[in-house]
Structures are given as structure tokens and as C-alpha cells.
Amino acid sequence: MPLYAYRCAASGSAGFTCADFEVQLAMGSAPASLPCPVCGAPSGRRFTAPNLSRASSSAYRLIESTRRSAAEPDVVRSPGPLSGTRPAGNITTNPLHRKLPRPD
């Protein structure tokens, strides 16, 4: 759902300043004005640049899972493979990788 930005009409008057606020509403259902959450004065809708990204859907899934794991980490039941073992399938076919130093 898109975010709609609003600016309080009473900002700057009466010696106080209300901050701009954003409201998440269904697309096309945003009214021209909403009451300010601070002072209750009518707030007009502002037109802002859309929040577009060139990231793919897999990047968005990664970002969302990272954010979710920060607040709700996965429960680990075992420590996983031992540190000395090497996972299968880590073989590269790139000829440039042959020039890299190998561990003893």
C-alpha cells in the first residue's frame, strides 16, 4: 500500500510547528485533507516523489527476511556442520580461480 504525505495547515502559526506525517492507505482512497495527529487542524495532502527502486523481487525478499530476523531471530536447534568439514558442491569451473592461492 502506498504512503501519502500530509502537512499541517497550522504549522508555523501560534508559536508551534507540527511535523509532516505520512499515512498508509489503499491506492486511490487518500482524501485531500486529514486532521493533524498533533493539533487536529486540517492537513493538506503533499505530492512527493514516488519511492521507486530498481531492486529485484529476490532482493526485496532478502531485505524483508533480514529485517524480520533482526526482531524475530530463527531458533537454532543444532550448531550445524563442524568447522573443519567442507560443504559439497563448492567446486568452481572458472579458470581464473586456478591462479588463487590454495590452503595447505
Side-chain angles (χ1 to χ4, degrees):
M1 288 209 288
L3 285 174
Y4 293 96
Y6 288 88
R7 176 171 289 154
C8 181
S11 292
S13 63
F16 68 92
T17 304
C18 295
D20 293 352
F21 63 96
E22 294 179 340
V23 179
Q24 188 173 9
L25 300 167
M27 187 174 288
S29 67
S33 68
L34 283 175
C36 176
V38 176
C39 66
S43 304
R45 188 168 143 202
R46 289 185 333 136
F47 289 95
T48 58
N51 187 10
L52 302 176
S53 175
R54 294 183 182 171
S56 64
S57 61
S58 60
Y60 280 123
R61 281 194 300 271
L62 177 63
I63 292 168
E64 288 298 319
S65 68
T66 304
R67 285 184 185 159
R68 189 173 43 252
S69 68
E72 304 166 6
D74 292 335
V75 176
V76 178
R77 301 205 189 282
S78 69
L82 299 175
S83 62
T85 62
R86 191 174 211 177
N90 247 359
I91 300 171
T92 179
T93 57
N94 188 337
L96 296 175
H97 291 171
R98 290 186 197 137
K99 297 178 181 179
L100 294 173
R102 301 284 178 207
D104 292 337

